[in-house]
Amino acid sequence: MSFLSHESLRVILLNTKQELIKVVSVSQGTLNEALAHPREVFKPVIAFSAYAFIMVHNHPSGDPSPSEADLRLTRRILEASRILQLLLLDHVVIGAPAPGGSSYFSFKEGGVIE
C-alpha cells in the first residue's frame, strides 16, 4: 500500500483466534484523503462475522503521521465497535520507509486504542 498514488482504506477481518478471514478494501480516496463512513467499515466486519478487525490505510506522501481526520475516524470507529461488541485491534497508517523514521503509525502503539 505504500506505493499507491491515492489513499486506500482496508479492513483486515479476523476470527476468534485472530486468524485472517479476509482483507476488504473499504474506500479509495484521493491523493491526500480517503473518505470513510463507519457503516462502510462495519459492513464487511458484520457480513463476514468477524470477531475482530484492523483498519489500515496509506499516506501517499510517505509521512505516516496521522491527520486530524484519521484521529476522528479512529475514535468514531472505536466508539461504535464497543457498542456493537466488535474488537478494533488497531488502525495502522502506512507510509514510506524513511531513514531514521518509522514507515507506519499504529494507533494502538500511540495509545489511542487500548
Side-chain angles (χ1 to χ4, degrees), residues 55-76:
M55 295 191 314
V56 180
H57 84 275
N58 65 312
H59 281 175
S61 68
D63 180 3
S65 303
S67 67
E68 191 58 41
D70 295 339
L71 288 166
R72 280 193 309 271
L73 175 63
T74 303
R75 289 183 181 123
R76 288 175 65 197

Side-chain angles (χ1 to χ4, degrees), residues 94-107:
I94 297 172
S102 180
S103 61
Y104 74 94
F105 176 85
S106 162
F107 282 84

Side-chain angles (χ1 to χ4, degrees), residues 42-62:
F42 287 109
K43 185 177 179 179
V45 177
I46 292 167
F48 287 94
S49 298
Y51 172 77
F53 65 103
I54 300 168
M55 295 191 314
V56 180
H57 84 275
N58 65 312
H59 281 175
S61 68

Side-chain angles (χ1 to χ4, degrees), residues 55 57 66 68-81 88 90-93 107-108 112-113:
M55 295 191 314
H57 84 275
E68 191 58 41
D70 295 339
L71 288 166
R72 280 193 309 271
L73 175 63
T74 303
R75 289 183 181 123
R76 288 175 65 197
I77 297 297
L78 185 58
E79 180 181 345
S81 69
L88 172 61
D90 204 348
H91 179 184
V92 178
V93 181
F107 282 84
K108 184 164 186 79
V112 177
I113 296 173

